[in-house]
């Protein structure tokens, strides 16, 4: 579903060349739920932007749902859903419900399909109470549930989540995790999740990838990740060990 | 009222070292119990206002570019008018061209399109309460910063249009010490009047749900009755007489006339001083009202 | 495309309609600010009967025709000049993950229907001028053509302004000189401006074709700068060329954004 072959991305910063991502190769099969870890500035966002077609890779190839994202950005847009935890893709001044209507028009979702889908999402994510509230008045947890709904209304094959649980309280986190697990299990949606919250990883991801300094530092199951650093009991310790020992 | 954090007082740093943070973040301290510090506090605030705007140099130069383009376009209109009516309003063509570039140069320092103060945002966010409990009065504090702002914008956005006007069309320059002194005094009084007006507009947010109306009305009155769009001296009949007596005339028309030497020096300065004092006095009363509203009634 | 545009614009109109008082307030204030330039023209003509050889009503005709096109574009596409804000706030990424052209999304973002008040004002001035002037009825067909040309040219200018902001993220005000500067320029007969400036506004940026060249035809007058008669009819062609260039520049801008990742 997602394939990267020696993908690289360089930036020019004041004449110096920075390799944000280099030689990155991995593939994700349909239906997988993959956690994508890495310290700040490791290249996570760059990878995600390449997957959505917002950034063109400077070397190698990227394929998502069989398409080259940077060339077929708008076609791909109908097949993937993206959530940026740090900012909303909803319309700030509009009621949540109007934002969803706009999404329906933009993605050309059939009204019947849309109504059924929205009813289902509103039920599972418990949106009923604030569908008529302008987005700017929503709490962070409500907004994130709204953003997730917006990303899923066109029933994408792939869902890319960039820190979806950032800043959320315990209850909101739990409800979003439960929802994502169900989505993946019942609909078979492929999910790529970047996060700094290792609880997300433990609860959701069978497979974990770790990126550091723009390169893939680890790719395997959660068990393998734990085994890779003997003597460290918790996932926090393992990841801290990997972040600090890789350099 | 939110609890106030205590930070150690450092008399040398009455404002935050980072120029990006507002006057606002100072909020917590800036204690000025000893008199000698007061002067240096306001001097520092003037400098701070200057530096804060100097960080947006690229934006200021872009604005200067746009002001210059508009200066050129408007200058041609005035040239055509003065060709049709030589000597109109006591100006010759060179005076009219100079007037036009002065108006463009003063747009930013006088903030003719409104704004320039952070007070409306702070009223909306409720942070104004922090400003009001400070021992330094809000109005004086804002004025000091605004003077710094005006000084920077006079250089960054005032000089380029004037220089361009001089190169492309030739502009007149004042002769003699008296005219220069009169012009500079007029400029200072113009900034004070502009501040006095904008401060009142800014505080009005406190009593209004939708403040867009006030800002548009202020913008219309200021751009049209300051002389920015056309010299007030060619406004016909009673409209002209009224326009020349209103406070906005003190912001552009008055300093421009002092520069050109087309207005009696003392009368012009007196009119400006009258409006500056009146508006700032009204501002002081408004500050008391808002303090009562925010501090006693709790916003 | 048009459908998507209208649907997006309609959503914002509905959102604005939720606050009718603010809406009508903005309509009125929009008219007042729009009327300032008109007031300037009237004050100028309170002091003179002709400007550059043109009468008040002729100037009002030129003003009305150009401003009808300008205000329509101000209503429908002027939000394009907020690109630098979208880039800084990161909302540009959001536009790019959707399956619709970012141009449409940005142009309609926070569409302000209240700006239609200025369109009405410009239309009224044009209507007044047409009534006051004694024009040759066989030449009036040019008026819709010139307004259409003006719409295309101003839209292209805003698109160019948007494209330029991909480069000038820190100094977006530069582009106002072209968009609002063009509005200022076209309010008066172009012969009041210097010959070089008018050459630039004819052959570099085809602003003269918004209302000046076709307007001379409608008014039945010769160009004081002596351009040949066929130039009166070149507006649509010039507008098309500028629109194509603007389209290319826009694509370059988007491409640059996607390859620099700013």
């Amino acid at each position: 579903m997602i394939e990267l072959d020696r993908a690289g991305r360089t930036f020019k910063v004041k004449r110096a060349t920075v390799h944000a991502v280099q030689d990155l190769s991995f593939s994700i099969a349909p239906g997988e739920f993959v956690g994508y870890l890495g310290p700040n500035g490791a290249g996570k966002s760059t990878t995600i932007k390449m997957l959505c077609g917002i950034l063109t890779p400077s070397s190698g190839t990227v394929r998502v749902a069989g398409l080259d994202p940077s060339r077929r950005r708008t076609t791909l847009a109908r097949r993937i859903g993206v959530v940026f935890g740090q900012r909303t893709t909803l319309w700030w001044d509009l009621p949540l419900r109007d934002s969803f209507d706009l999404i329906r028009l933009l993605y050309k979702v059939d009204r019947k399909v849309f109504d059924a889908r929205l009813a289902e999402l509103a039920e599972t994510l418990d949106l009923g109470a604030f569908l008529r509230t302008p987005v700017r008045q929503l709490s962070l947890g409500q907004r994130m549930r709204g953003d997730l709904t917006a990303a899923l209304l066109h029933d994408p094959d792939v869902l890319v989540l960039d820190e979806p649980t950032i800043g959320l309280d315990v209850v909101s986190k739990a409800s979003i995790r439960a929802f994502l697990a169900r989505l993946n299990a019942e609909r078979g949606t492929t999910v790529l999740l970047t996060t700094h919250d290792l609880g997300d990883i433990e609860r959701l991801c069978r497979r974990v990838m770790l990126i550091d300094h723009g390169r893939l530092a680890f790719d395997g199951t959660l068990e393998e990740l734990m085994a890779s650093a003997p003597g460290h009991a918790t996932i926090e310790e393992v990841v801290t060990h990997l972040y600090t020992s890789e350099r | 009222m939110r609890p106030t954090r205590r930070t150690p007082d450092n008399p040398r740093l009455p404002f935050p070292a980072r120029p990006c943070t507002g006057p606002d973040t100072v909020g917590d301290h800036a204690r000025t119990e000893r008199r000698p510090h007061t002067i240096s506090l306001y001097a520092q605030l003037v400098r701070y206002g200057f530096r804060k705007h100097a960080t947006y140099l690229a934006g200021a130069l872009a604005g200067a570019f746009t002001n210059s383009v508009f200066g050129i376009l408007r200058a041609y209109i005035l040239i055509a008018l003065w060709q049709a009516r030589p000597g109109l309003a006591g100006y010759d063509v060179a005076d009219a061209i100079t007037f036009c570039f002065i108006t463009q140069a003063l747009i930013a320092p006088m903030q003719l399109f409104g704004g320039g103060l952070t007070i409306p945002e702070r009223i909306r966010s409720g942070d104004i309460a922090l400003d009001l409990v400070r021992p330094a009065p809000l109005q004086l504090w804002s004025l000091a910063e605004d003077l710094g702002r005006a000084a920077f914008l006079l250089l960054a956005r005032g000089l380029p249009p004037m220089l361009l006007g001089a190169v492309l069309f030739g502009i007149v320059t004042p002769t003699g010490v008296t005219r220069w002194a009169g012009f500079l005094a007029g400029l200072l009084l113009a900034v004070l009047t502009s501040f006095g007006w904008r401060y009142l507009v800014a505080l009005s947010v406190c009593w209004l749900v939708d403040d867009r109306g006030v800002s548009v009305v202020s913008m219309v009155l200021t751009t049209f009755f300051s002389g920015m769009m056309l010299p007030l001296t060619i406004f016909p009949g009673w409209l002209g007489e009224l326009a020349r007596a209103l406070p906005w005339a003190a912001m552009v028309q008055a300093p421009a006339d002092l520069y050109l030497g087309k207005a009696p020096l003392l009368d012009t300065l007196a009119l400006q001083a009258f409006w500056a004092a009146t508006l700032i006095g009204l501002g002081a009363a408004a500050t008391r009202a808002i303090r009562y509203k925010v501090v006693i009634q709790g916003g | 495309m048009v459908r998507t545009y209208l649907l997006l614009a309609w959503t914002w109109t509905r959102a604005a309609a939720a606050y009718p008082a603010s809406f009508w307030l903005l309509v009125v204030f929009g008219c007042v600010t729009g009327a300032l330039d008109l007031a300037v023209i009237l004050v100028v003509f309170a002091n003179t009967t002709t400007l550059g050889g043109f009468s008040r009503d002729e100037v009002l005709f030129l003003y009305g025709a150009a401003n009808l096109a300008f205000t329509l574009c101000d209503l429908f596409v002027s939000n394009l000049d907020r690109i630098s804000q979208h880039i800084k706030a990161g909302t540009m990424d959001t536009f790019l993950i959707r399956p619709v052209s970012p141009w449409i999304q940005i142009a309609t973002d926070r569409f302000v229907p209240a700006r239609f008040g200025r369109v009405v004002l410009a239309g009224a001035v044009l209507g007044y001028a047409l009534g006051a002037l004694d024009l040759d009825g066989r030449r009036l067909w040019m008026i819709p053509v010139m307004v259409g040309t003006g719409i295309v040219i101003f839209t292209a200018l805003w698109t160019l302004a948007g494209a330029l902001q991909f480069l000038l993220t820190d100094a977006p005000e530069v582009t106002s000189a072209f968009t609002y500067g063009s509005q200022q320029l076209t309010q008066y007969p172009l012969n009041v401006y210097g010959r070089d400036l008018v050459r630039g506004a004819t052959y570099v940026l085809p602003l003269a074709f918004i209302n000046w060249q076709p307007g001379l035809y409608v008014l039945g007058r010769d160009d004081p700068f002596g351009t040949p008669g066929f130039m009166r009819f070149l507006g649509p062609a010039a507008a098309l060329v500028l629109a194509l260039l603007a389209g290319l520049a826009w694509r370059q801008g988007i491409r640059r954004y996607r390859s620099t990742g700013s």
Side-chain angles (χ1 to χ4, degrees):
Chain A
M1 192 50 78
I2 299 177
E3 267 177 82
L4 269 77
D5 186 18
R6 278 168 292 148
R9 175 67 228 195
T10 54
F11 293 106
K12 291 232 178 349
V13 184
K14 287 176 187 155
R15 292 195 191 166
T17 308
V18 178
H19 296 271
V21 166
Q22 44 185 327
D23 244 354
L24 195 61
S25 302
F26 62 78
S27 84
I28 296 176
E32 274 197 282
F33 201 128
V34 181
Y36 194 39
L37 289 177
N40 292 326
K44 293 192 304 291
S45 291
T46 306
T47 316
I48 287 192
K49 283 184 180 182
M50 290 198 295
L51 294 180
C52 315
I54 299 172
L55 262 182
T56 348
S58 27
S59 61
T61 55
V62 177
R63 294 210 151 251
V64 178
L67 300 166
D68 177 350
S70 66
R71 283 162 193 269
R72 310 284 307 278
R73 181 171 51 80
T74 44
T75 318
L76 178 68
R78 283 181 218 286
R79 303 197 45 194
I80 69 172
V82 187
V83 175
F84 297 112
Q86 310 261 27
R87 62 180 99 103
T88 182
T89 57
L90 301 166
W91 284 262
W92 202 242
D93 307 292
L94 295 185
L96 198 52
R97 177 63 222 234
D98 289 12
S99 273
F100 294 154
D101 269 330
L102 274 177
I103 302 262
R104 176 176 73 78
L105 300 168
L106 292 177
Y107 286 82
K108 299 199 168 68
V109 184
D110 179 81
R111 187 184 280 277
K112 274 193 190 135
V113 178
F114 167 85
D115 285 343
R117 188 105 178 102
L118 179 58
E120 187 194 333
L121 287 163
E123 158 102 39
T124 39
L125 281 168
D126 201 14
L127 307 177
F130 50 91
L131 268 177
R132 297 270 158 222
T133 314
V135 173
R136 65 183 131 80
Q137 291 171 14
L138 298 181
S139 74
L140 197 58
Q142 292 173 330
R143 206 207 76 198
M144 185 46 61
R145 272 136 69 194
D147 259 310
L148 262 178
T149 308
L152 292 168
L153 281 171
H154 59 292
D155 200 8
D157 304 328
V158 186
L159 182 61
V160 178
L161 304 163
D162 192 3
E163 305 189 27
T165 54
I166 192 163
L168 297 189
D169 63 50
V170 194
V171 182
S172 304
K173 266 185 197 171
S175 84
I176 286 195
R177 284 174 189 163
F179 171 78
L180 290 175
R182 243 183 86 185
L183 179 81
N184 175 250
E186 290 174 10
R187 285 202 165 246
T189 309
T190 314
V191 185
L192 180 70
L193 165 77
T194 81
T195 183
H196 286 298
D197 187 323
L198 299 168
D200 291 349
I201 302 284
E202 272 183 307
R203 169 79 174 76
L204 294 168
C205 308
R206 287 175 292 276
R207 177 176 165 196
V208 180
M209 294 191 299
L210 200 144
I211 187 174
D212 200 7
H213 291 87
R215 291 173 185 278
L216 203 57
F218 175 86
D219 185 356
T221 62
L222 192 57
E223 292 74 35
E224 285 167 351
L225 179 73
M226 296 303 290
S228 71
H232 295 284
T234 65
I235 182 165
E236 268 89 1
E237 285 177 19
V238 174
V239 170
T240 314
H241 172 75
L242 284 172
Y243 281 5
T244 45
S245 65
E246 283 298 322
R247 42 205 74 188
Chain B
M1 172 113 290
R2 55 193 71 184
T4 330
R5 270 174 294 123
R6 277 270 132 221
T7 44
D9 276 314
N10 180 347
R12 290 185 198 184
L13 274 182
F15 55 90
R18 281 180 303 149
C20 305
T21 47
D24 354 340
T25 38
V26 194
D28 313 342
H29 66 352
R31 299 180 47 207
T32 50
E33 63 268 58
R34 276 153 302 173
R35 202 62 201 148
H37 278 156
T38 316
I39 304 296
S40 73
L41 166 69
Y42 294 108
Q44 289 277 38
L45 280 171
V46 173
R47 252 187 59 198
Y48 162 70
F50 188 98
R51 274 197 0 219
K52 182 168 133 190
H53 283 83
T55 46
Y56 304 107
L57 184 64
L61 293 180
F65 172 75
T66 304
N67 292 152
S68 304
V69 169
F70 273 84
I72 295 167
L73 296 179
R74 286 185 190 278
Y76 278 117
I77 309 296
L78 295 187
I79 293 172
L81 178 57
W82 259 265
Q83 272 169 355
R85 290 284 312 276
L88 179 64
Y91 297 168
D92 59 22
V93 179
D95 292 332
I97 293 169
T98 309
F99 187 94
C100 172
F101 282 97
I102 294 177
T103 61
Q104 292 295 320
L106 291 185
I107 284 180
M110 303 302 159
Q111 209 76 39
L112 296 181
F113 293 103
L117 300 171
T118 50
I119 294 174
E121 298 149 37
R122 297 186 60 76
I123 291 178
R124 264 181 242 116
S125 67
D127 291 348
I128 196 77
L130 293 175
D131 301 341
L132 286 168
V133 297
R134 237 184 263 158
L138 174 68
Q139 195 184 17
L140 204 54
W141 184 285
S142 312
L143 173 61
E145 262 197 46
D146 201 58
L147 286 175
R149 177 201 61 77
F152 171 73
L153 291 178
L154 192 67
L155 294 176
R157 287 186 60 177
L159 281 184
M162 290 300 278
L163 291 176
L164 193 78
V167 170
L168 289 181
F169 298 90
I171 58 174
V172 296
T173 39
T175 45
V177 180
T178 332
R179 233 167 91 187
W180 271 111
F183 167 62
L184 291 176
L187 213 50
L188 179 67
L189 287 169
V191 177
L192 291 176
T193 313
S194 154
F195 167 80
W197 172 252
R198 283 178 294 119
Y199 185 79
L200 283 173
V201 171
L203 285 197
S204 74
V205 173
C206 207
W207 289 277
L208 295 167
V209 190
D210 191 343
D211 60 303
R212 283 177 294 189
V214 177
S215 10
V216 175
V217 169
S218 163
M219 200 264 281
V220 168
L221 291 171
T222 312
T223 48
F224 198 66
F225 289 112
S226 64
M228 186 208 106
M229 303 188 90
L230 277 180
L232 302 180
T233 39
I234 68 165
F235 279 30
W238 62 268
L239 183 67
E241 273 168 43
L242 178 71
R244 289 189 290 274
L246 290 173
W248 301 283
M251 300 178 198
V252 176
Q253 182 72 39
D257 271 345
L258 290 172
Y259 180 95
L260 293 169
K262 297 291 176 191
L265 181 66
L266 291 178
D267 291 2
T268 310
L269 290 178
L271 181 77
Q272 285 185 294
F274 167 75
W275 279 122
T278 308
L279 292 176
I280 289 176
L282 285 172
T287 315
R288 272 196 297 280
I290 175 181
R291 182 191 300 268
Y292 176 78
K293 187 172 155 64
V294 173
V295 179
I296 316 258
Q297 299 181 328
Chain C
M1 251 177 83
V2 177
R3 205 178 110 90
T4 315
Y5 184 99
L6 292 176
L7 286 168
L8 282 167
W10 178 239
T11 309
W12 285 103
T13 309
R14 270 198 340 230
Y19 306 96
S22 285
F23 177 82
W24 288 107
L25 197 77
L26 285 180
V27 171
V28 172
F29 289 139
C31 284
V32 174
T33 44
L36 279 182
D37 286 328
L38 179 63
V40 169
I41 294 177
L42 296 179
V43 171
V44 166
F45 279 98
N47 288 284
T48 179
T49 47
T50 62
L51 192 74
F54 287 78
S55 73
R56 187 189 73 174
D57 292 341
E58 284 174 317
V59 172
L60 287 179
F61 164 71
L62 292 171
Y63 167 91
N67 254 32
L68 184 56
F70 179 85
T71 50
L72 279 167
C73 292
D74 183 46
L75 173 65
F76 287 112
V77 299
S78 67
N79 288 337
L80 287 173
D81 71 9
R82 287 210 304 231
I83 282 193
S84 64
Q85 291 174 34
H86 288 303
I87 293 176
K88 280 186 205 155
T91 36
M92 193 66 206
D93 289 351
T94 315
F95 295 127
L96 287 170
I97 59 167
R98 299 203 185 110
V100 172
S101 134
W103 190 90
I104 291 184
Q105 294 185 60
I106 298 168
T108 49
D109 191 56
R110 290 167 198 244
F111 175 78
V112 187
R115 288 192 185 139
F116 90 87
R118 296 186 211 179
V119 181
V120 174
L121 181 75
V125 173
L126 181 62
Y128 161 80
L130 291 179
L133 292 165
D134 186 20
L135 295 170
D136 181 350
R138 285 162 302 168
R139 295 190 168 198
L140 294 183
W141 63 269
M142 181 60 102
I143 293 168
V145 175
M146 67 196 268
V147 173
T149 306
I151 291 174
V152 175
I153 292 179
F154 281 124
T155 303
L157 283 175
W158 253 301
T159 307
L160 280 170
L164 206 59
Q165 289 193 6
F166 283 105
L167 290 173
L168 298 170
T169 316
D170 287 330
E173 296 90 343
V174 168
T175 57
S176 312
F178 296 101
T179 49
Y180 296 96
S182 301
Q183 180 203 18
Q184 172 69 32
L185 179 93
T186 52
Q187 287 175 0
Y188 291 87
L190 287 200
N191 64 318
V192 305
Y193 304 105
R195 186 178 283 268
D196 290 334
L197 204 155
V198 176
R199 273 203 194 119
T202 308
Y203 304 108
V204 183
L205 271 184
L207 306 176
F209 297 100
I210 293 169
N211 64 344
W212 173 241
Q213 290 285 356
L216 288 172
Y217 172 78
V218 176
L219 296 172
R221 300 182 58 140
D222 293 327
D223 184 351
F225 286 141
T227 53
F230 71 86
M231 298 269 290
R232 315 289 175 265
F233 307 100
L234 289 187
L240 212 62
V241 171
L242 188 70
L244 278 173
L245 288 175
L248 283 176
W250 176 263
R251 287 178 62 131
Q252 279 301 319
I254 295 277
R255 186 171 302 170
R256 186 188 139 82
Y257 178 79
R258 294 205 300 139
S259 63
T260 52
S262 37

